[in-house]
Amino acid sequence: MSSRSTQILEAAARVIARRGVRGLRVEELAAEAGVSTALIYYHFKDRTGVLRQTLEFINDRAERYTTDRDPDDPPLTPLEELEETLLLELQDTVEVRENSSAWGELRASAVFDEVLREDLARATLVWVQEVAALLGQVRPMVPASALAAAAERLTALLEGLSMRWLSGGIKIDHARELMRGAVDAELAGLERA
Amino acid sequence: MSSRSTQILEAAARVIARRGVRGLRVEELAAEAGVSTALIYYHFKDRTGVLRQTLEFINDRAERYTTDRDPDDPPLTPLEELEETLLLELQDTVEVRENSSAWGELRASAVFDEVLREDLARATLVWVQEVAALLGQVRPMVPASALAAAAERLTALLEGLSMRWLSGGIKIDHARELMRGAVDAELAGLERA
DNA sequence: GTCTATATTCCGATAGAC
DNA sequence: GTCTATCGGAATATAGAC
């Protein structure tokens, strides 16, 4: 991948965070990247090509910040690791904002666009299973089906809270607090089973 | 409001459910409503005017089906009433689908559009307070702040589950089951406080 | 109030020079 | 590889008759 392409993809991530997937205009992208529109069509086949590669680009970035951990390690308890993982998606940084906006757009677009659904389902499954595994470490004696259900709820809630945060309904600190409360509530629920 | 306007707004709700807010084309709306495009510009100032009034229209409709209850009444327990209220938004009917799609679109659009945020915040607040009140009937001795937090989580989760349902990630019955589980978990959480 | 044109604007995409 | 210039289609919006 040429550095020009990377430059354009970084600009695309910013434009998508500002205007949404469906609000991205090639001309605005060109201005943001400081290049001509023609150059974008030279490096990417068409507007859809830009979108696909940008979503991929953003996804890679998200995996990176999700897994980067511990320069020198104070080992986390399972509960801390679970909360950490969930709360990583609720931070007011440029990167998380861009990724969450793009994820929300992807989810919302998929409602009206069959083509996106498969990618979305796959990514969601991975995410749910990761959370279920972490829950299993906190509550070792709970059946897998109950863990899976709790994980689905926590991740769905995370998406809901992200949207409220991004759409200005709640502040980020409040979102984080609510998320921690949900973990507590779910763990209380699992305990009773 | 003239019956023509109503007819156009009903058509707009259907088109939005099919294509999304940002996918609504005035020409397609005209065809769906069985009128000319010019008539739409006559009744509504412009495309944005159509959108604003349609969102309002959909909001009113949602309140109607949320509050319609009990032809002859077997009185519900507080818990039943709570679950009923939440599960009303997770039904595979044309009306709920249209309203949920439009709501999701409104939420997603608001991320990139300041203008929509105020309406959204107001509607969300009403909704959260309603759920908090119902929770208070199930758990009378719990402080209001804890009830409010639980209500915010349940409604945010509902939005998250709706999106997964509408985007094909989960089936409606599974969504309902998860929602019931969340109510149980939240009540367990409130019990411990 | 409603329709049939049609004007206007916007935007994705390409041609061709350098 | 990159730009300037422009085309062509699609969508919003309006003019004017009925």
Side-chain angles (χ1 to χ4, degrees):
Chain A
M1 166 107 19
S2 76
S3 81
R4 261 293 195 250
S5 295
T6 304
Q7 169 187 350
I8 293 170
L9 290 176
E10 284 168 350
R14 290 194 296 276
V15 174
I16 287 177
R18 192 162 62 230
R19 305 271 184 240
V21 167
R22 289 166 285 187
L24 180 142
R25 302 283 161 254
V26 177
E27 201 170 346
E28 184 178 0
L29 169 56
E32 176 78 27
V35 302
S36 67
T37 64
L39 190 63
I40 289 171
Y41 288 97
Y42 173 80
H43 283 286
F44 307 87
K45 184 178 175 299
D46 54 17
R47 182 179 176 281
T48 303
V50 176
L51 254 26
R52 262 207 308 271
Q53 290 205 225
T54 304
L55 264 1
E56 196 174 316
F57 173 77
I58 286 172
N59 222 36
D60 293 349
R61 253 192 349 190
E63 278 174 31
R64 204 176 327 126
Y65 75 64
T66 297
T67 53
D68 273 9
R69 288 271 322 121
D70 292 341
D72 52 315
D73 20 42
L76 297 179
T77 67
L79 176 59
E80 284 169 343
E81 205 178 334
L82 172 64
E83 289 195 334
E84 171 99 352
T85 300
L86 293 168
L87 293 177
L88 269 172
E89 310 293 329
L90 292 173
Q91 298 180 87
D92 197 355
T93 68
V94 174
E95 215 176 23
V96 170
R97 239 180 205 279
E98 285 183 4
N99 284 330
S100 294
S101 304
W103 180 259
E105 275 287 288
L106 184 57
R107 176 75 69 194
S109 301
V111 174
F112 310 105
D113 184 352
E114 294 267 347
V115 185
L116 295 172
R117 294 189 186 178
E118 192 180 354
D119 288 346
L120 192 66
R122 189 168 31 73
T124 304
L125 184 61
V126 170
W127 174 229
V128 169
Q129 285 176 338
E130 185 185 344
V131 172
L134 291 170
L135 278 168
Q137 289 176 16
V138 183
R139 290 276 181 275
M141 302 305 293
V142 169
S145 63
L147 293 174
E152 281 187 278
R153 282 192 294 265
L154 287 172
T155 54
L157 173 63
L158 181 53
E159 289 181 8
L161 290 175
S162 265
M163 290 301 281
R164 287 200 185 174
W165 163 48
L166 292 169
S167 63
I170 57 178
K171 299 251 200 317
I172 189 67
D173 289 337
H174 187 52
R176 291 171 66 87
E177 202 176 318
L178 289 171
M179 194 70 227
R180 280 193 214 93
V183 172
D184 291 348
E186 286 292 349
L187 290 175
L190 289 176
E191 208 164 21
R192 303 194 313 177
Chain B
M1 165 104 25
S2 76
S3 82
R4 259 293 194 251
S5 295
T6 305
Q7 170 188 349
I8 293 170
L9 290 176
E10 284 167 350
R14 291 194 296 275
V15 174
I16 287 176
R18 193 161 62 230
R19 306 268 184 242
V21 166
R22 287 163 287 188
L24 179 142
R25 303 282 162 252
V26 177
E27 200 169 348
E28 183 178 1
L29 170 56
E32 177 77 28
V35 301
S36 66
T37 64
L39 190 63
I40 290 170
Y41 288 96
Y42 173 80
H43 283 287
F44 307 88
K45 182 178 176 302
D46 53 17
R47 181 179 176 281
T48 302
V50 176
L51 253 26
R52 263 206 308 270
Q53 290 205 224
T54 304
L55 266 1
E56 196 175 314
F57 173 77
I58 284 171
N59 224 34
D60 293 348
R61 244 186 6 185
E63 278 174 31
R64 202 173 332 125
Y65 76 63
T66 296
T67 53
D68 273 8
R69 288 273 320 123
D70 293 341
D72 52 314
D73 20 43
L76 297 179
T77 67
L79 176 58
E80 283 169 343
E81 206 178 336
L82 172 65
E83 289 195 335
E84 170 100 351
T85 299
L86 292 168
L87 294 176
L88 269 171
E89 310 292 329
L90 292 172
Q91 300 180 87
D92 198 354
T93 68
V94 173
E95 213 177 21
V96 171
R97 241 181 202 279
E98 281 184 7
N99 283 330
S100 294
S101 305
W103 180 258
E105 275 289 288
L106 181 58
R107 176 76 68 192
S109 301
V111 174
F112 310 105
D113 184 352
E114 293 267 348
V115 185
L116 294 173
R117 292 189 188 178
E118 192 181 353
D119 288 345
L120 192 65
R122 190 169 29 76
T124 303
L125 184 62
V126 170
W127 173 228
V128 168
Q129 285 176 339
E130 184 185 343
V131 171
L134 291 170
L135 278 167
Q137 288 176 18
V138 183
R139 290 276 180 277
M141 302 305 293
V142 170
S145 62
L147 293 175
E152 281 188 279
R153 283 193 295 267
L154 287 173
T155 53
L157 173 63
L158 182 53
E159 289 181 9
L161 291 175
S162 265
M163 289 302 281
R164 288 200 184 173
W165 163 49
L166 292 169
S167 63
I170 58 177
K171 299 251 203 312
I172 189 68
D173 289 338
H174 188 52
R176 292 170 65 87
E177 203 176 319
L178 289 171
M179 194 71 227
R180 279 193 216 94
V183 173
D184 291 348
E186 287 291 349
L187 290 175
L190 290 177
E191 208 164 22
R192 304 193 314 176

